Amino acid sequence: MMAVALSVVALWPSTDTSATPLAKLKTKFSSKHTSSVDHTQFAVLNQDFKTPQDVTQACISCHNKRHTEVMATSHWNWSNVEYVPDKGLLSLGKSNILNNFCVGVSSNEQSCTKCHIGYGYKDKNFNFKDPRNVDCLACHDNSNTYVKGSGQAGLPDKIVNLKLVATHVGRPERANCGTCHFNGGGGNNVKHGDMEQALYDPSPDVDIHMTSAGSDMSCVDCHSATNHQMLGKVYSLSSANRDRVQCESCHTELPHNDSILNNHTLKVACQTCHIPVYAKENPTKTYWDWSTAGKLKDGKPYEVKNPDGTDSYLSIKGSFQWGKNLQPEYTWFNGTATHYLLGDKVSDPSKPIQINTLLGSYDEPDSKIIPVKVMRSNQMFDEVNKYLIQPKTFSAHPGDGGFWKDFNWQTASAEGMKSVGLNYSGKMGFVKTEMYWPINHMVSKGDKAVACSECHTRNGGRLKNLKGFYMPGRDQNDFADLAGKSLILLTLIGVLTHGLTRMIAHKKGGF
Amino acid sequence: MKRIYVYRLFERFWHWTQALLIIFLGLTGFEIHSEIRFFGFENAVHYHNSAAIAFLVLIAFAIFWHFATGEWKQYVPTLENIREQAQYYALGIFKNEPHPTEKTALSKLNPLQRIVYAGLKVVVIPTMVTSGLLYMFFRYPQRYSVAQLNIKGLENIAVVHTVGAFALVAFLMAHLYLMTTGHTVTSNLKAMITGYEEVPEDRGEKTFTAAELVGAPGGELS
C-alpha cells in the first residue's frame, strides 16, 4: 500500500518550474567553474620573473601549443581577414580601421597597445611572430593585481608582482575583459555605452545575466572560446556574419510563452525589446567635436568638467556630449557591415561620413531590427585629398608631432598620415562622421522589456525611422483609410438624411 | 396584425453573438490600427485574436446550421421585386406605403437584404477570415516551409483586413438604421430578441407557428 502511494507520488507529473527552459539555463550557469589545477604548486611559476616574456616562456613550457592559437586571433593581430560586402576579402581590425573617438592606432601604438595582448607593440614594426611577446596574463590573471602600464606598449606596470600573478592564473574573469573592453575610447563606458564598470557588480535592473542577484554570469559564459577563438564581434571592426554570440543559442528562437511575441523574433532581435535603455549606470560619450581641441590657458592644456564628473572639454581632445539611460536608435542588420577604409575619398563631405555601415533591410531573410548606439563626431579631414585623417595624437615627448603634447594639427596630421603611407595635403578641416555600435549588453529583466505600444504607435514610436515594411499601429495605407472613412461618412450622411426625412414625412402623415 | 415566428433560437443566438463579436473585433481592431485608445495596444491584440477564434467557432456552427436547416436558401439573391424594394426605400417609406415584400418565416429577407447579406457571407466575412488568419500566422509561411505563399510583408494583408473593417462599420451603421424601418420602429428589434414579429394581416400566404416550424423539414434544431 505504502509502495503504491509512493510510486504514485513519484510518477505524478511534476509542477516544479525547474523544468522550464529558462530554469534549466539558470541551473546550468549557477554551477561555477572550478580550476582543474592549482598553479601555485608549479615550480616553473614559482620564480622571480625578470620580464613578463619570461612568464610567457613558463606558460608555454606546459601549454606548449596555446600560443599558436592566441597568435591566430584578432586579439593578437588586431586584424582579421573577412569578406567585406562590395569590397572583397580584407584584413581589417584595430590596427588599420579608423573610428570617431581617438580616431586610430597608427603612429599612436605606444599608448593604444596598452590594450594589446602582447608586449612591446610600440610601432607598426612589432614582431607578431614572436611567441614570447604573447601576454597570457592580461586575460588569465585571477589575482586581480595585473595591470598594464600607460604608454608602455603593452608591458605590465612596474608595480606588478609577476610571480604572484603567474601562480594565480585561470579562466578569464570580468576584470580581465573589462579592463580594456569597458574603458575603450579613453574612459569608462566612453565607447560602447552598454559595456562598463557597472557590469562588475550590476543590479538586476542593469544586467539580468551578470547580476550576483541572478545567474552571476561572467563574460566568457557567453563569449566562449574554442582554441582561443572567442565568439562575439564588434561591427566597428568586423564585417562578416560569423562567430557571433547569439541570445538564441541559449534561449532558442521561440522563447516566449506568447506566440505573438515569438512571431517577432523572425525580424526583431532579442536586444531590441530586452535592452530598453543603455548606459544605465554611467554616461557614455555620444558626440565628440575634435574641432575645438587645442585651446590653451597660459600655454597649458586644461579641462572642463560637467557636474556629473564627465569631461565637457579637454584641450587634447576637444568637446564632448554624454548621455545616460539612453534609448537606442534602431537599424536593420543582417550580420554584415562595411567600413570606411583609410584613403577612401569622400564625394560629399557635407553629409556625415559613415565610418561603418550596418547592412540589412526588411526584405533580407537574415535581417533583424537591432538597437544601436550611434556615435557622432566632428573629426579631422584632408580638404584637398578628400579623406579622413589619421592623426598622431600620442607623444612620449614634446616635439615629435603628437597633438596631445604639441597641439599642432599640421604636424599631427602629417606624422599620422605618413605612418599609414598616405599623402597629407596640408589643408586640414573637420567633417561630421557617424559610427554604429550594436547594443548587446545590459539586458533588462523580462518585465522591463520594451512595451508593444512603444513601437506600435502612429507617431513618435521607437521604430519611427525604420522603413520598408508595414507595422500594425504605426502604418496605414492612406488611400485605403481615406476610402474607408469616406464610406463611413457617406453611410452616416445617408442614414441621417433618410431618417430625418422619414421623421418629417411621418409627422406630416406622409408626403 | 398577427404575430409570426421568424427567428429561431439558434438564429437569434448566432445573430447576437456575431453582433457582439463584430463590435468587439471592431473596437480592438481599430485600436490596433491606432484609431482609438481604450484597452492598450497589447491587450487589444490579445483580445482581438481571442475574439477572432471565438468568431471562427461561431461561423463553423452557423455554417452547419444554415446547411442543416436549409436556411442558406434565404440568402440566395433574387431580382424579383428588387425594383419595388428599392423604390420603397427611396419613396414609399416616406408615404407610409406598405412594405412591398411580405415577411414570412420561409422568406424573411427582402431582395435588397438578400444581396447585402449574401455579400457579407460570401465576400466580406470570408475576406476578413482569410486575411485575419494570414495576419495571425504571418510568420509561419516565411520561415517554415510554406514557401509558395512567399508573403513579403504584412501590408497587403493588413490593408485588405482594414478595408473590410471599414466596410463592416458602414454595414453596421446602415443595419442599425434599417432596423427601425420595420412595421414599427422597434418591431424588427423585438423580433430578433423574442423570435416573434408583428406583421400586417395575411395577404393569403400560409404562415407557421413555432410548433409547426419545429416539426417542419428544416425546422428548429435547438
Side-chain angles (χ1 to χ4, degrees):
Chain A
M1 189 66 190
M2 195 66 181
V4 171
L6 278 175
S7 60
V8 166
V9 170
L11 293 171
W12 198 257
S14 171
T15 52
D16 184 359
T17 51
S18 69
T20 68
L22 198 59
K24 278 182 193 160
L25 285 172
K26 283 179 181 163
T27 309
K28 178 183 169 189
F29 284 101
S30 63
S31 58
K32 290 296 163 199
H33 173 81
T34 46
S35 183
S36 53
V37 293
D38 178 358
H39 284 90
T40 61
Q41 295 187 19
F42 291 114
V44 69
L45 299 176
N46 276 298
Q47 51 169 309
D48 292 315
F49 295 102
K50 293 226 161 37
T51 67
Q53 284 89 344
D54 294 340
V55 181
T56 305
Q57 192 86 47
C59 299
I60 292 176
S61 68
C62 289
H63 301 280
N64 61 12
K65 283 288 181 195
R66 290 302 198 183
H67 58 286
T68 59
E69 296 171 9
V70 171
M71 291 163 78
T73 66
S74 45
H75 269 123
W76 171 258
N77 291 308
W78 275 15
S79 70
N80 187 20
V81 177
E82 280 190 332
Y83 178 77
V84 185
D86 298 330
K87 296 194 173 179
L89 276 177
L90 294 174
S91 181
L92 298 179
K94 289 188 90 64
S95 62
N96 59 358
I97 275 201
L98 299 187
N99 62 48
N100 57 3
F101 293 84
C102 293
V103 184
V105 170
S106 287
S107 74
N108 306 305
E109 286 87 350
Q110 192 159 349
S111 175
C112 300
T113 58
K114 182 183 181 183
C115 277
H116 180 246
I117 56 154
Y119 301 128
Y121 185 176
K122 66 178 170 26
D123 55 37
K124 60 183 172 189
N125 300 317
F126 176 68
N127 182 2
F128 285 96
K129 297 272 193 293
D130 183 357
R132 282 173 50 86
N133 282 335
V134 172
D135 181 352
C136 308
L137 304 176
C139 305
H140 293 287
D141 165 42
N142 283 174
S143 73
N144 216 1
T145 63
Y146 184 81
V147 279
K148 288 185 171 240
S150 286
Q152 301 296 307
L155 289 163
D157 196 281
K158 297 202 166 45
I159 61 158
V160 171
N161 178 345
L162 290 172
K163 181 165 132 184
L164 175 74
V165 178
T167 50
H168 292 85
V169 288
R171 189 174 187 255
E173 295 170 345
R174 288 180 210 196
N176 300 98
C177 312
T179 190
C180 285
H181 290 284
F182 295 166
N183 294 304
N188 184 40
N189 210 20
V190 166
K191 249 183 192 169
H192 291 270
D194 62 336
M195 287 168 64
E196 60 131 324
Q197 289 159 12
L199 294 180
Y200 288 138
D201 187 16
S203 70
D205 284 335
V206 170
D207 192 296
I208 194 64
H209 293 104
M210 297 180 80
T211 180
S212 54
S215 293
D216 201 13
M217 292 165 67
S218 73
C219 309
V220 293
D221 282 330
C222 295
H223 295 274
S224 57
T226 309
N227 301 332
H228 279 94
Q229 296 282 356
M230 305 197 71
L231 288 184
K233 54 204 309 164
V234 61
Y235 283 89
S236 49
L237 304 169
S238 297
S239 312
N241 187 5
R242 61 174 197 192
D243 306 328
R244 293 165 75 185
V245 173
Q246 307 271 26
C247 310
E248 293 89 336
S249 326
C250 289
H251 291 287
T252 78
E253 253 200 327
L254 306 171
H256 310 97
N257 292 325
D258 180 339
S259 68
I260 298 171
L261 292 181
N262 280 338
N263 287 353
H264 284 72
T265 65
L266 184 65
K267 289 291 179 193
V268 183
C270 309
Q271 300 94 307
T272 301
C273 301
H274 290 281
I275 310 177
V277 293
Y278 66 98
K280 290 176 179 174
E281 208 52 65
N282 294 297
T284 185
K285 210 169 267 187
T286 55
Y287 178 68
W288 185 323
D289 185 0
W290 276 99
S291 71
T292 60
K295 290 187 238 169
L296 303 173
K297 269 184 187 160
D298 306 325
K300 286 187 178 142
Y302 65 98
E303 57 181 44
V304 181
K305 296 258 185 211
N306 291 314
D308 65 357
T310 53
D311 302 312
S312 74
Y313 179 76
L314 292 174
S315 294
I316 60 167
K317 294 179 175 178
S319 330
F320 314 118
Q321 286 169 18
W322 301 76
K324 199 181 153 184
N325 280 320
L326 292 168
Q327 183 175 305
E329 297 180 47
Y330 298 92
T331 188
W332 286 105
F333 186 45
N334 63 16
T336 68
T338 182
H339 306 272
Y340 177 89
L341 303 180
L342 268 167
D344 280 355
K345 301 250 182 204
V346 177
S347 50
D348 182 5
S350 66
K351 279 192 284 196
I353 297 171
Q354 305 296 301
I355 304 240
N356 67 336
T357 306
L358 304 181
L359 301 170
S361 69
Y362 174 84
D363 296 324
E364 295 172 33
D366 287 335
S367 284
K368 292 188 183 191
I369 296 167
I370 61 156
V372 289
K373 171 192 169 182
V374 182
M375 177 64 186
R376 296 180 169 88
S377 294
N378 195 27
Q379 70 188 91
M380 294 66 84
F381 184 68
D382 187 321
E383 303 268 14
V384 176
N385 287 314
K386 302 280 180 206
Y387 46 55
L388 288 175
I389 287 174
Q390 163 65 61
K392 177 173 176 60
T393 46
F394 176 82
S395 282
H397 314 284
D400 55 6
F403 188 82
W404 291 350
K405 284 272 177 2
D406 295 346
F407 300 100
N408 181 333
W409 278 128
Q410 290 304 328
T411 54
S413 302
E415 288 296 316
M417 291 307 267
K418 195 168 80 183
S419 76
V420 294
L422 284 172
N423 174 261
Y424 172 57
S425 69
K427 196 165 181 323
M428 191 271 259
F430 294 87
V431 286
K432 301 280 184 202
T433 59
E434 286 181 356
M435 200 168 180
Y436 288 74
W437 296 79
I439 297 292
N440 295 313
H441 307 93
M442 295 194 173
V443 174
S444 291
K445 287 159 125 177
D447 58 6
K448 296 271 168 60
V450 171
C452 308
S453 55
E454 293 184 53
C455 299
H456 294 279
T457 182
R458 186 73 85 214
N459 299 307
R462 284 180 181 248
L463 302 183
K464 61 178 183 291
N465 295 327
L466 282 190
K467 297 284 181 282
F469 67 106
Y470 183 96
M471 182 161 70
R474 183 191 71 167
D475 295 323
Q476 67 199 107
N477 180 301
D478 291 334
F479 178 74
D481 272 43
L482 183 69
K485 285 173 186 170
S486 307
L487 177 67
I488 289 172
L489 189 67
L490 287 174
T491 310
L492 188 67
I493 292 169
V495 159
L496 288 177
T497 317
H498 200 270
L500 213 59
T501 317
R502 253 173 80 210
M503 281 166 71
I504 295 165
H506 284 212
K507 263 197 187 139
K508 288 183 180 171
F511 284 136
Chain B
M1 267 316 127
K2 59 171 185 185
R3 292 179 84 224
I4 59 164
Y5 191 58
V6 190
Y7 303 115
R8 299 170 223 187
L9 186 61
F10 175 82
E11 208 169 10
R12 283 174 279 143
F13 164 78
W14 165 59
H15 172 269
W16 288 114
T17 313
Q18 177 168 263
L20 287 175
L21 283 173
I22 285 179
I23 290 166
F24 187 69
L25 283 163
L27 284 175
T28 51
F30 278 105
E31 175 147 21
I32 293 166
H33 196 55
S34 285
E35 294 290 340
I36 49 175
R37 275 280 160 270
F38 188 67
F39 298 109
F41 186 90
E42 184 172 7
N43 288 333
V45 169
H46 285 123
Y47 297 163
H48 194 77
N49 282 4
S50 303
I53 303 284
F55 196 25
L56 286 177
V57 173
L58 184 68
I59 286 174
F61 278 97
I63 288 174
F64 176 77
W65 180 86
H66 275 85
F67 282 105
T69 59
E71 283 288 304
W72 63 275
K73 292 179 191 131
Q74 301 250 14
Y75 298 88
V76 176
T78 170
L79 291 175
E80 192 185 334
N81 252 355
I82 195 162
R83 196 184 157 84
E84 289 76 2
Q85 189 67 38
Q87 276 175 352
Y88 170 74
Y89 282 129
L91 298 168
I93 190 168
F94 304 122
K95 301 177 186 170
N96 286 336
E97 283 176 8
H99 282 263
T101 320
E102 195 189 0
K103 193 165 190 171
T104 69
L106 291 184
S107 176
K108 53 193 154 211
L109 301 177
N110 73 46
L112 286 177
Q113 283 177 314
R114 280 176 181 249
I115 288 178
V116 171
Y117 292 162
L120 267 186
K121 289 180 171 222
V122 177
V123 180
V124 179
I125 300 290
T127 303
M128 294 305 274
V129 168
T130 310
S131 57
L133 286 172
L134 286 171
Y135 213 132
M136 266 189 199
F137 297 104
F138 168 63
R139 175 198 176 109
Y140 301 102
Q142 278 222 337
R143 187 73 123 201
Y144 299 109
S145 78
V146 192
Q148 284 80 355
L149 285 176
N150 197 24
I151 299 168
K152 289 217 75 128
L154 262 181
E155 177 149 23
N156 292 338
I157 298 169
V159 168
V160 168
H161 204 67
T162 313
V163 167
F166 279 121
L168 280 170
V169 172
F171 167 79
L172 184 62
M173 290 165 68
H175 186 68
L176 286 174
Y177 171 68
L178 289 167
M179 174 184 80
T180 67
T181 61
H183 179 62
T184 66
V185 169
T186 56
S187 62
N188 278 338
L189 178 62
K190 278 183 192 153
M192 195 46 90
I193 293 170
T194 63
Y196 288 94
E197 182 162 359
E198 297 218 319
V199 294
E201 273 306 327
D202 212 319
R203 294 184 211 168
E205 287 179 30
K206 170 146 178 60
T207 55
F208 297 86
T209 63
E212 282 174 314
L213 276 170
V214 173
E220 188 155 21
L221 289 168
S222 54

